[in-house]
Amino acid sequence: MMNCNAQTNKAVLDKYLTLPQGSRVQATYIWIDGTGQGIRSKTKSLETKPGKIEDLPIWNYDGSSCHQAEGSNSDTYLHPVKMYPCPFRRGDNLLVLCEAYRYNKEPTKTNKRKTCLAVMEKAKEFKPWFGIEQEYTLLDQDGHPFGWPKNGFPGPQGPYYCGVGASRVYGRDIVEAHYRCCLYTGIKISGTNAEVMPAQWEFQVGPTEGIDMGDDLWVARYLLERVAEDFGVVVSLDPKPMVGDWNGAGAHCNFSTKAMREKGGMKHIEAAIEKLSKNHVNHIKEYDPNEGKDNERRLTGAHETSSIHDFSAGVANRGASIRIPREVSAQGYGYLEDRRPSSNCDPYSVTMVIVKTTCLDK
């Protein structure tokens, strides 16, 4: 029974998706649930394709089933904030990213976007750019890493990073399908690669400016979950899915301001690192949904990580909290890489706290 979803014949669906749907449009509303890392969605019919985000209606859902409300007062509201073309239904059908609000018109606890947007507006003169490297692990529906022997382990880490071949790479079909979906929707995906642990992958989104980083990464995560669902495979964003001598999963955040990207920008990069060093504990609390408890299993000082308890920075050092790429150091301007955020982080929280610390001195 565990694999019944994977056993449905997805090709049968094609003959139904080719049926004409007239002038009406299917809009899939997407939101973040009360865990701060789960994604929910449901579909609404619209009479015509909306021309702008304001044309989309506010909708509601049962917040008590999403850890966001009590059963006695469960109506929770979806406010559309951005729309994307739908790669699954195609045509004029849409994906609609939403913010979630409670009955009293206050944002839900896990609606970090509202505050993030306000911070980005205050800092827009700095033109903050972000690029996030989203790592994830593919699992069978029994929770075992996809492609791993059921009664043992694959060979030690070494040949899997950017690997090629059936003995080194598991799940490339999912990765390729996801990549194409991101391109179709207009998400600024910049690349993908197999990671150090077998069945672990990474895709990168960016560079994007301001609030777009959080928006695009959340929708890219939704696309990944939907694609993997079609293949009957589970996506895990756990920052340490396998104990032992296996790499964890992060969401390294590359960051720059306009001043950092211009000639002489290194002094602005170094000033930002100094500010980050003084706010290490606060950042760690924002870098996973459980205020550092998830990341504690990953940031041990081993497996290309820094210790969660210490702040460090260095050129080309993947064991540091902040890495300055070698080419940035050589040319004297560019960006920095914050390697601390966990794979299950909220990108709104990550980008917001970085901007508050480095641009707004908060």
Side-chain angles (χ1 to χ4, degrees), residues 276-322:
L276 291 168
S277 72
K278 295 176 180 177
N279 289 275
H280 178 64
V281 173
N282 182 46
H283 279 247
I284 289 296
K285 288 181 178 179
E286 297 292 341
Y287 283 179
D288 77 47
N290 292 301
E291 299 187 335
K293 290 183 174 63
D294 291 342
N295 230 350
E296 193 171 21
R297 294 181 286 118
R298 165 180 163 260
L299 295 179
T300 62
H303 301 110
E304 299 182 292
T305 70
S306 59
S307 168
I308 196 170
H309 304 294
D310 303 309
F311 181 89
S312 57
V315 174
N317 185 356
R318 283 177 162 77
S321 307
I322 306 293

Side-chain angles (χ1 to χ4, degrees), residues 157-351:
Q157 294 183 156
Y160 309 108
Y161 173 70
C162 297
V164 178
S167 64
R168 298 178 179 87
V169 173
Y170 312 131
R172 193 184 294 276
D173 290 353
I174 295 167
V175 174
E176 292 295 331
H178 173 251
Y179 203 139
R180 190 59 61 91
C181 284
C182 287
L183 292 173
Y184 181 89
T185 58
I187 288 171
K188 202 169 183 181
I189 186 169
S190 53
T192 190
N193 59 269
E195 267 301 334
V196 177
M197 188 181 84
Q200 188 183 76
W201 292 84
E202 174 188 296
F203 66 91
Q204 306 93 32
V205 174
T208 62
E209 188 169 330
I211 199 68
D212 289 340
M213 183 70 259
D215 291 347
D216 282 0
L217 189 61
W218 273 113
V219 174
R221 287 176 174 179
Y222 168 81
L223 294 174
L224 179 60
E225 292 277 9
R226 278 285 284 106
V227 167
E229 177 187 320
D230 282 348
F231 285 91
V233 174
V234 175
V235 175
S236 172
L237 296 185
D238 190 296
K240 186 67 174 177
M242 296 298 290
V243 297
D245 195 16
W246 304 102
N247 273 36
H252 305 156
C253 183
N254 300 279
F255 167 69
S256 67
T257 60
K258 185 175 184 292
M260 293 179 190
R261 297 188 292 270
E262 295 175 342
K263 189 173 181 179
M266 183 56 69
K267 67 179 181 181
H268 297 285
I269 293 172
E270 290 171 346
I273 292 173
E274 178 64 20
K275 292 176 182 179
L276 291 168
S277 72
K278 295 176 180 177
N279 289 275
H280 178 64
V281 173
N282 182 46
H283 279 247
I284 289 296
K285 288 181 178 179
E286 297 292 341
Y287 283 179
D288 77 47
N290 292 301
E291 299 187 335
K293 290 183 174 63
D294 291 342
N295 230 350
E296 193 171 21
R297 294 181 286 118
R298 165 180 163 260
L299 295 179
T300 62
H303 301 110
E304 299 182 292
T305 70
S306 59
S307 168
I308 196 170
H309 304 294
D310 303 309
F311 181 89
S312 57
V315 174
N317 185 356
R318 283 177 162 77
S321 307
I322 306 293
R323 180 180 73 95
I324 301 173
R326 190 172 299 284
E327 66 271 20
V328 171
S329 177
Q331 68 190 9
Y333 62 90
Y335 66 97
L336 61 84
E337 178 194 36
D338 191 334
R339 297 178 59 80
R340 295 171 294 173
S342 68
S343 49
N344 63 343
C345 70
D346 186 333
Y348 295 129
S349 295
V350 171
T351 56

